[in-house]
């Protein structure tokens, strides 16, 4: 399925392996339940796909062995995956975080802010919302009011900087 | 939905009398929604008045054909309001 | 010698956008403009567009679109109200409806005009951001904030901080359901904080520090619930991390399988308060608070802008009010009900009732909005408030000016002397406008008001709040009305259930249903019977709610349903 990051639509170097499949490539995304099995096989890079009901704390012990975590979005209006991403980043995961599901372009900046690197969307959706719309949507709000998130210029921090500057300037 | 496409008043609306006609009209509505011609299409229950004009039976739909009951100068009823 | 303070056209004492706020709102408008275009060209389906338009306050109603504009914490400048009047004339049908959540609704905008309306709002530092949708809604507060004589601290700086924090929140814009926050800083609760998802009460702890009591899980709607104290004292600087913790727990565990069970009140109820508290505290403790919390200087920056105007010390010398009241019985009635005491000596707070007998509760014409703007410029430091009772407040009026203000209001049909009385009825728009409604609300309010039209009778009955909702979603807050009326559909006709004993203040109570519903035409009689029970049972000086608490529901049930 089409894959999006800050540069636009990109090629996907990962192979998704379903529960039935036994084909293990070099760089695979498998259901979380199959992680132990894949870890035992000699695979270069492992990613897991998790439901949006997963407890982020359960993933922490595997962080060092995972290059990617893919979080399921059953529909675009279900924001649970955003909280999971934020918690996973908070817990220190530095690999690729991928949102999987019919997110719309208008959510791109939010997904990035919560810690996602890439979004994998259905073909039909990518056809309706081509690359340009994702790029525009990513830039549409250049400022944010929430501290501690990862995207956009933070207004509260900017104000603190201005305040400090004006204070030292005044002395 | 009238004979030649979507209309703004209910009195020229197409009427379904049988279950098959209902399905057909429903499908027409769904198609128009997908095609972005209308926002929200659904069937309503009607009776025919003495001029053979369809009138909604439910008070909500009746309200929709007129306008707010407390502002007769607004909504579709406004055209007849002096 | 101090120079006299200017009285007219002074700058309002409220939060003003800085360059960041202004840019943010403009970008949001531009974003919405492009979303409308992408809806029209088919890039966005209606299903996808719907939450986006709702998060900009745009509903599809019975006759047209409806645009809900935020009046954050109910504070409004004269300039802003004048712009709301301009929008009503230019893009709508010459009026607006003030809601129970400190918003104004326009009932007839065209989709193509909405981005222009949002730009017109941005011109006066206003917006429609998050007035609907499954996100954190417009933050509300005590409409007497900053001027009430029972205030510990002005709640608006906190509300403004939260307004900013919740705006376009990347993590909490696709919640299980809507989320409402209200803030109160006074001893008396005028913001109904116990029936909000989060109610914040500014309190002082044992050692005199100011912080928040955090109340979680209140709400009206289908399953009315009173909120629980989840944290007795939250230090001020922890407010954003603590809210983030609550929201993350709710976003992760709130039900998404049934929209009628998706509010946080159900999560609290089903999980249990202790367990929810443990989950929130665990999340809160896991956060790197320093990276999330606001700089204390930021709250100071905001608070400074809400600093009261410099009041005229000599205003306190005025002592002719009683003489003026005695000389004019009509003014006397108005002063009895529509004037509240101000914390500054010689000043008063005026409630301008938007409930004229026979009118639509909460509606104001563009012309009336302009009159109110002018009055505010001349007499109230250019500032107004919107109350959740759907009235407009003039917060800084010299007591010596009350009579002149009353005359100006009277000339514009805005001097109805009924604040807090039986005809000051809260009503949602109901089926006259709303597509969710199951029955009409406004005509019921009008019929009741006409029934109790006599000023003498209203004043004799005294304080009595009637609240009407046209469906179970309870926008008219019927659950917390001393008398609540809920309009439903019963076998194809409108039917109205009556509840009694609801209370929106800190002694919050959900009203009790008296029995089967009444037909629309029979509602005024039913209300009259309830009032008769009160009048014949009350002791000297006893208000309706006091009598009700003393005698319970039975006498009222009997009056309504006993066979004659």
């Amino acid at each position: 399925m089409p894959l999006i990051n800050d540069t636009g639509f990109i090629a996907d170097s990962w192979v998704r392996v379903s529960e039935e499949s036994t084909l293990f490539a070099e760089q695979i995304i498998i259901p979380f339940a199959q992680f132990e099995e894949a870890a035992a096989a000699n695979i270069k890079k492992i990613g897991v796909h998790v439901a949006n009901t997963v407890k982020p704390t359960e993933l922490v012990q595997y962080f060092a062995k995972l290059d990617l975590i893919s979080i399921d979005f059953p529909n675009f209006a279900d924001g649970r995956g955003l909280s999971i991403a934020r918690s996973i980043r908070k817990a220190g995961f530095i690999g690729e975080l991928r949102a999987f599901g019919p997110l719309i372009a208008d959510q791109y900046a939010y997904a990035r802010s919560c810690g996602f690197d890439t979004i994998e969307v259905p073909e039909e959706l990518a056809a309706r919302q081509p690359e340009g719309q994702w790029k525009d949507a990513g830039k549409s709000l250049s400022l944010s009011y929430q501290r501690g998130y990862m995207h956009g210029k933070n207004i509260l921090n900017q104000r603190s900087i201005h305040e400090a500057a004006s204070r030292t300037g005044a002395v | 939905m009238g004979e030649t496409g979507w209309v703004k008043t209910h009195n020229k609306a197409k009427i379904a009398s049988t279950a098959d006609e209902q399905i057909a009209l429903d499908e027409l509505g769904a198609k128009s929604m997908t095609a972005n011609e209308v926002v929200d299409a659904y069937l309503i229950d009607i009776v025919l008045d003495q001029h053979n004009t369809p009138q909604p039976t439910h008070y909500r739909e009746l309200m929709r054909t007129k306008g707010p009951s407390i502002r007769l100068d607004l909504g579709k009823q406004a055209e007849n309001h002096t | 010698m101090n120079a006299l303070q200017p009285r007219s056209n002074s700058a309002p004492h409220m939060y003003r956008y800085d360059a960041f706020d202004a840019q943010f709102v403009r970008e949001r408008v531009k974003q919405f403009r492009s979303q409308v275009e992408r809806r029209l060209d088919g890039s966005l389906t209606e299903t996808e567009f719907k939450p986006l338009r709702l998060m900009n306050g745009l509903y599809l109603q019975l006759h047209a679109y409806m645009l809900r504009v935020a009046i954050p914490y109910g504070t409004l400048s004269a300039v802003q109200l004048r712009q709301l009047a301009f929008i009503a004339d230019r893009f709508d049908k010459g009026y607006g409806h003030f809601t129970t959540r400190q918003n104004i609704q326009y009932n007839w905008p065209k989709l193509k005009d909405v981005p222009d309306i949002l730009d017109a709002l941005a011109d006066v530092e206003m917006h429609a951001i998050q007035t609907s949708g499954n996100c954190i809604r417009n933050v509300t507060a005590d409409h007497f904030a900053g001027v009430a004589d029972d205030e510990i601290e002005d709640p608006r700086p906190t509300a403004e901080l939260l307004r900013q924090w919740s705006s376009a929140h990347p993590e909490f814009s696709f919640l299980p359901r809507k989320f409402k926050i209200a803030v109160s800083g006074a001893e008396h609760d005028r913001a109904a904080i116990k029936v909000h998802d989060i109610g914040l009460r500014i309190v002082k702890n044992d050692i005199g520090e100011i912080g928040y009591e955090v109340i979680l899980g209140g709400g009206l709607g289908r399953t009315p619930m009173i909120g629980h104290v989840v944290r007795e004292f939250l230090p001020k600087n922890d407010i954003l991390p603590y809210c983030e913790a609550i929201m993350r727990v709710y976003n992760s565990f709130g039900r998404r399988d049934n929209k009628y069970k998706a509010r946080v009140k159900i999560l609290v109820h089903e999980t249990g308060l202790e367990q929810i508290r443990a989950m929130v505290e665990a999340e809160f403790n896991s956060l790197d608070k320093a990276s999330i919390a606001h700089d204390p200087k930021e709250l100071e920056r905001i608070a400074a802008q809400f600093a009261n105007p410099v009041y005229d010390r000599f205003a306190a010398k005025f002592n002719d009010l009683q003489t003026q009241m005695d000389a004019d019985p009509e003014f006397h009635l108005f002063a009895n009900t529509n004037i509240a005491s101000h914390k500054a000596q010689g000043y008063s707070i005026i409630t301008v009732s938007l409930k004229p007998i026979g009118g639509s509760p909460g509606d104001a014409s563009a012309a009336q909005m302009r009159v109110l703007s002018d009055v505010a410029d001349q007499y109230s430091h250019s500032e107004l408030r919107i109350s959740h009772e759907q009235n407009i407040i003039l917060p800084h009026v010299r007591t010596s000016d009350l009579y002149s203000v009353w005359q100006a209001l009277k000339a514009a049909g805005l001097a109805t002397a009924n604040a807090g009385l039986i005809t000051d009825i809260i009503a949602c728009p109901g089926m006259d406008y709303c597509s969710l409604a199951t029955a009409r609300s406004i005509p019921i309010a009008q019929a009741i008001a006409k029934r109790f039209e006599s000023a003498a009778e209203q004043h004799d009955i005294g304080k009595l709040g009637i609240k009407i909702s046209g469906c179970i979603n309870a926008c008219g807050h019927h659950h917390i009305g001393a008398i609540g009326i809920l309009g439903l559909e019963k076998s194809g006709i409108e039917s109205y259930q009556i509840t009694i004993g609801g209370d929106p203040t800190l002694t919050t109570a959900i009203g009790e249903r008296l029995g089967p519903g009444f037909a629309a035409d029979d509602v005024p009689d039913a209300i009259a019977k309830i009032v008769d029970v009160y009048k014949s049972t009350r002791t000297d000086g006893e208000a309706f709610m006091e009598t009700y608490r003393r005698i319970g529901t039975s006498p009222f049930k009997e009056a309504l349903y006993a066979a004659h």
Side-chain angles (χ1 to χ4, degrees), chain C residues 142-174:
Chain C
D142 184 349
H143 47 266
F144 287 173
V147 294
D149 60 1
D150 63 339
E151 195 167 81
I152 298 162
E153 186 183 277
D154 190 336
R156 292 174 299 168
T158 298
E160 171 62 23
L161 183 73
L162 289 169
R163 180 194 73 81
Q164 296 185 18
W165 166 79
S166 61
S167 293
H169 199 293
E171 187 179 344
F172 307 130
S173 292
F174 293 88

Side-chain angles (χ1 to χ4, degrees), chain C residues 249-283:
Chain C
V249 168
Y250 173 54
N251 194 36
S252 303
F253 301 105
R255 287 181 62 170
R256 291 177 191 260
D257 59 328
N258 179 343
K259 79 173 212 177
Y260 300 117
K261 297 191 171 176
R263 295 283 293 272
V264 75
K265 64 189 173 188
I266 303 289
L267 179 67
V268 173
H269 181 71
E270 291 183 349
T271 314
L273 178 63
E274 288 312 313
Q275 179 65 16
I276 282 289
R277 180 182 290 137
M279 289 158 79
V280 169
E281 292 289 336
E283 181 60 34

